[in-house]
Amino acid sequence: MPDPNFKDPNFKARTYTQEPGPAAMPFQRYAAECHAKLINLLDREAPEPEVQCFLDRNPCLVPGAWTPGSPPGHYPLHCALISQPRLPSLGSRQPDFMWLATDSLTWYPTLIEIEAPSKRIFTASGVPCSKFTQARNQLAQWRNWFNTPTNVQQFMDSYRIPDTWRHAKTFRIHMILVYGRRQEFQDNPQLSKQRGSLLPGADEELMSYDRLRADEKLKEAVTVRMGPSSRYCAIAVPPVFTLNPAVADRLLHVDGIEKAIDRCDGISVARKKFLRHRLQYWKTWAARPQQGVIGGPDTYDE
């Protein structure tokens, strides 16, 4: 019979506590509202800047947070969607979004290009439109930029890629082009087949706007831009934003989350106050040299 007084010297206790606060918006309600708003934008063919702004406010809709070809296992860096990221010294058009995705062996700068929903892939004669060709060529320019080692080094320095990623993981880029609507090709098998061969590279994929869905695993995500001295600055959080120890360390790297919470119309006044109060707690906890074990039934959804 086990000794009830025995203490395993290798056991690490939890070093944090969680507080129940005003509840966040239920995710299913949020996802339904997001989908309805997205469809409205697409059906009225909203201009690209309006779509960009909507996705800024709802980062869990943007694809690419998880490494390609594998199920979600690791959060992207800081669980942050980077809006309008800069590729240093690149004079051509910059990406619209970027996730820094990772798994146990590889890390991926995932570059996302969005185009206006009104744009079509094919002409009436079934040939790719010039605007689509320009968007596809943009991906090729990004690929060529990352093929230069000095650019990769500059990129890692600019985005403060962790040393553990630099030295222990393989680097690969991934690119996603969000372009067009499914209705253009879904009833035309020939166009559908042709579309499947338009982005043949292993590091690129073509996605229609109709595939965008709110990802519940990204309810903690924040949208950021790079600020002075390569600091991440939060510009938006979604109404379902939560705090938990698994992503608390990002509070040491991302500035302005309090202001982003205040700007979110979908978070109640009481919950905004609660989140601002708990942000400092989690920031202090994240700075501890020993954080103990993370786990238990109350690990998430504060």
Side-chain angles (χ1 to χ4, degrees):
M1 184 174 180
D3 182 353
N5 297 316
F6 173 76
K7 293 185 178 180
D8 185 345
N10 297 316
F11 174 77
K12 293 183 179 180
R14 288 198 314 184
T15 59
Y16 62 87
T17 58
Q18 291 191 263
E19 292 183 9
M25 178 186 293
F27 187 83
Q28 295 307 315
R29 173 186 157 195
Y30 167 72
E33 290 182 2
C34 268
H35 183 69
K37 291 176 182 177
L38 176 63
I39 294 302
N40 176 266
L41 287 174
L42 301 180
D43 287 349
R44 62 183 176 83
E45 298 186 342
E48 183 182 329
E50 187 176 350
V51 178
Q52 170 97 31
C53 184
F54 174 73
L55 295 176
D56 277 344
R57 297 194 304 269
N58 300 283
C60 64
L61 282 170
V62 179
W66 315 111
T67 53
S70 64
H74 299 258
Y75 281 115
L77 185 64
H78 308 319
C79 200
L81 173 68
I82 304 169
S83 180
Q84 299 178 327
R86 301 290 299 175
L87 301 183
S89 74
L90 181 66
S92 59
R93 179 171 172 174
Q94 305 285 333
D96 292 305
F97 297 103
M98 179 172 68
W99 295 101
L100 294 170
T102 187
D103 57 26
S104 300
L105 302 175
T106 311
W107 69 275
Y108 297 81
T110 302
L111 313 176
I112 301 102
E113 173 75 0
I114 64 170
E115 296 290 340
S118 59
K119 292 183 179 180
R120 298 178 64 85
I121 297 177
F122 299 104
T123 65
S125 59
V127 176
C129 295
S130 60
K131 291 182 179 179
F132 176 80
T133 301
Q134 291 170 6
R136 182 173 57 188
N137 289 343
Q138 185 65 64
L139 271 60
Q141 291 178 351
W142 298 339
R143 181 187 296 110
N144 290 336
W145 187 87
F146 276 104
N147 282 337
T148 302
T150 54
N151 289 341
V152 175
Q153 183 62 48
Q154 191 175 8
F155 177 89
M156 292 191 295
D157 293 342
S158 295
Y159 288 95
R160 297 195 174 190
I161 302 302
D163 287 342
T164 52
W165 289 23
R166 299 188 192 209
H167 304 311
K169 298 186 179 188
T170 302
F171 157 83
R172 295 180 186 171
I173 69 163
H174 189 67
M175 298 173 291
I176 300 173
L177 174 58
V178 181
Y179 195 110
R181 301 291 306 275
R182 187 178 294 149
Q183 62 195 27
E184 180 183 358
F185 57 86
Q186 65 181 358
D187 295 327
N188 189 322
Q190 184 175 353
L191 284 186
S192 183
K193 181 177 180 180
Q194 185 178 349
R195 178 184 176 277
S197 63
L198 291 176
L199 264 65
D203 60 359
E204 59 187 0
E205 64 179 298
L206 175 61
M207 183 178 294
S208 74
Y209 273 103
D210 301 276
R211 284 180 57 190
L212 302 189
R213 292 289 186 274
D215 184 347
E216 188 169 6
K217 296 182 178 68
L218 292 173
K219 64 185 175 183
E220 295 92 357
V222 299
T223 305
V224 303
R225 289 202 179 108
M226 295 307 294
S229 304
S230 295
R231 291 286 298 178
Y232 293 90
C233 297
I235 61 173
V237 301
V240 290
F241 178 74
T242 60
L243 296 170
N244 72 70
V247 291
D249 68 327
R250 57 125 169 250
L251 300 176
L252 306 178
H253 305 280
V254 179
D255 300 326
I257 292 182
E258 297 92 339
K259 293 181 179 179
I261 290 170
D262 285 340
R263 287 192 294 266
C264 181
D265 293 336
I267 300 177
S268 69
V269 173
R271 183 161 175 80
K272 286 178 180 179
K273 181 178 180 180
F274 169 75
L275 290 172
R276 288 194 301 267
H277 162 68
R278 292 296 288 168
L279 279 170
Q280 186 56 51
Y281 171 85
W282 286 114
K283 186 174 182 178
T284 301
W285 178 83
R288 293 170 57 114
Q290 298 292 330
Q291 295 177 348
V293 68
I294 297 174
D298 60 342
T299 300
Y300 300 99
D301 299 338
E302 180 171 289

